[in-house]
Amino acid sequence: MAQVNWLTKGERSGTTLITAPGTPAGVESGVERLDAALDGFTGPIPGWFRAFEKLGFWWYPICAVVGVLLVLLLVDPADAVRIASGMAISLVLAYLGAFALNVAAKAQARGRGHASSQQAIAEVDPLARIAPTGARALSDAVLGRDAGLEDQVHTLLWRSVKTTTADGAAASEELQALLARTAPEHAAGRAADAERLEQQIKRLKEDGKI
């Protein structure tokens, strides 16, 4: 079945995100901001860093070429070992440079915008949230049996994100009941996985490891 458009994988964070039911205004920017916040960008991403990201893989060969050219200017061109060493060093510096630029961009974003990722996440909460664990598989299992349940599944998954609240806990229970009714084999698999995890945690506690 086709992927639902209200579950998406963040390009930066790699986290599965869920958008608010009804596609409210600003939901796309909310998803982008949540994804950025999960990756450490709590404010607007600097333009210079976006330009750097567009280089992608080319950043490394560019640094390698620059490193070789510098070595050719500073040492005997016949010394192949030194040239190879210069190339290797330039690749290491390219990696460290990319890391430093990433850190600098995030620091600049914090200075322009919000003090913490938690604050940014809270502000976009009405538009986008981190999806519950296994949300995509659950959605596929239910909607693969009955596509007409999409709005209900979307709403329940959205509400179930906040399992610490009464509404969130109720939505989670409704979701499990719906899954058991429409895709019992998937529900059984989830229950078995949950049981195995509980037993693993229990053993770790008994062994004093947690």
Side-chain angles (χ1 to χ4, degrees), residues 42-63:
T42 58
I45 299 173
W48 63 264
F49 188 70
R50 289 187 182 276
F52 164 72
E53 288 183 312
K54 289 181 179 179
L55 289 175
F57 171 80
W58 289 104
W59 166 253
Y60 293 93
I62 288 172
C63 289

Side-chain angles (χ1 to χ4, degrees), residues 18-20 23-32 127-128:
I18 183 171
T19 59
T23 58
V27 69
E28 291 186 3
S29 60
V31 168
E32 183 178 352
L127 299 172

Side-chain angles (χ1 to χ4, degrees), residues 178-200:
L178 179 62
L179 180 64
R181 187 171 68 253
T182 56
E185 72 290 343
H186 187 80
R190 284 172 63 94
D193 290 341
E195 176 63 23
R196 282 194 293 270
L197 179 59
E198 185 176 341
Q199 291 301 320
Q200 289 175 357

